[in-house]
Amino acid sequence: SQTIHQWPATLVQPVGSPLSLECTVEGTSNPNLYWYRQAAGRGLQLLFYSVGIGQISSEVPQNLSASRPQDRQFILSSKKLLLSDSSFYLCAWTGGVHTEAFFGQGTRLTVV
Amino acid sequence: DQQVKQNSPSLSVQEGRISILNCDYTNSMFDYFLWYKKYPAEGPTFLISISSIKDKNEDGRFTVFLNKSAKHLSLHIVPSQPGDSAVYFCAASGKNGANSKLTFGKGITLSVRP
């Protein structure tokens, strides 16, 4: 069966520090991978979307970047965190069009 | 531009009664629709989906209705239970290109009173 792992679950980082959140999927190949952010009262905002290795679509301009070094690995990064980057970050995968997305457990990032 | 809209931020219903959660979309290329349930500090979990070739899909206490001409869908929960209290997200996608990614609404907070 397919599983998705996202870590860490919580993270407290100082302003200006780098960020690396990792997401891996098991039990499937060539998944579509997503990074979402849930800010209070703003629902699920799509940040990045990837249909294959090295293929990243950015949905909103921001202080973050994403990479997909391997088929089932998706990484969310920042070189210098801002206070406004504090949020709940979610990784998800789908098997293709017209399939449901499966989410990781999320990472609560607090920038102090 | 919000392509998937959940205009009511919250809903409160009595246990045992029906909960009706509404969702509207603007992109006519969307042809697959989903509902997710989310508890605090957890990832959303998939509830039910519907393809645009149907107007109704039922799974236990959950039924999703789709009105393509109105670009509107709704989730009915009958009977509502206290454990249904959560945030519910509507999502949509299409077949091709940029439309194939899942787009979510802002969510509705459902409270079921015992």
Side-chain angles (χ1 to χ4, degrees):
Chain A
S1 63
Q2 302 90 357
T3 56
I4 179 168
H5 302 280
Q6 182 183 343
W7 67 93
T10 59
L11 189 60
V12 179
Q13 291 282 101
V15 169
S17 65
L19 172 74
S20 181
L21 302 181
E22 189 162 344
C23 174
T24 59
V25 181
E26 296 177 357
T28 188
S29 59
N30 198 30
N32 292 337
L33 295 171
Y34 302 78
W35 277 110
Y36 287 91
R37 174 170 63 193
Q38 186 188 16
R42 296 208 49 195
L44 290 174
Q45 181 186 33
L46 180 61
L47 301 176
F48 298 98
Y49 169 55
S50 173
V51 297
I53 295 174
Q55 300 179 60
I56 311 291
S57 296
S58 175
E59 293 298 306
V60 294
Q62 62 208 310
N63 186 41
L64 302 167
S65 62
S67 62
R68 185 170 177 174
Q70 299 180 46
D71 181 45
R72 289 169 289 175
Q73 184 184 29
F74 206 23
I75 298 172
L76 183 68
S77 304
S78 174
K79 291 182 179 178
K80 288 186 178 182
L81 284 168
L82 305 172
L83 286 174
S84 58
D85 292 323
S86 294
S87 193
F88 188 60
Y89 291 86
L90 289 156
C91 180
W93 75 273
T94 68
V97 295
H98 289 186
T99 60
E100 61 264 33
F102 298 92
F103 284 82
Q105 285 300 293
T107 297
R108 168 65 62 190
L109 171 65
T110 304
V111 182
V112 296
Chain B
D1 177 30
Q2 194 78 16
Q3 297 188 66
V4 178
K5 301 178 182 180
Q6 295 178 262
N7 293 319
S8 301
S10 62
L11 175 68
S12 180
V13 300
Q14 192 73 36
E15 180 179 6
R17 305 295 290 269
I18 185 171
S19 294
I20 300 176
L21 310 177
N22 293 307
C23 178
D24 298 290
Y25 62 97
T26 59
N27 189 337
S28 58
M29 300 305 291
F30 287 155
D31 60 0
Y32 186 64
F33 306 89
L34 310 92
W35 283 94
Y36 282 81
K37 176 181 180 180
K38 185 182 182 302
Y39 294 117
E42 293 184 8
T45 54
F46 170 74
L47 274 178
I48 192 168
S49 64
I50 188 166
S51 166
S52 61
I53 61 173
K54 293 185 174 182
D55 54 19
K56 176 183 174 181
N57 189 25
E58 189 173 354
D59 184 1
R61 295 186 299 116
F62 302 92
T63 303
V64 56
F65 295 91
L66 176 63
N67 182 334
K68 291 183 289 294
S69 61
K71 293 191 177 68
H72 176 83
L73 62 154
S74 60
L75 175 68
H76 293 209
I77 307 174
V78 181
S80 301
Q81 300 172 354
D84 295 329
S85 297
V87 178
Y88 288 79
F89 290 98
C90 170
S93 69
K95 287 192 182 69
N96 303 308
N99 295 312
S100 65
K101 60 186 184 293
L102 269 181
T103 300
F104 284 81
K106 291 188 176 183
I108 300 172
T109 300
L110 173 65
S111 300
V112 180
R113 306 185 303 273

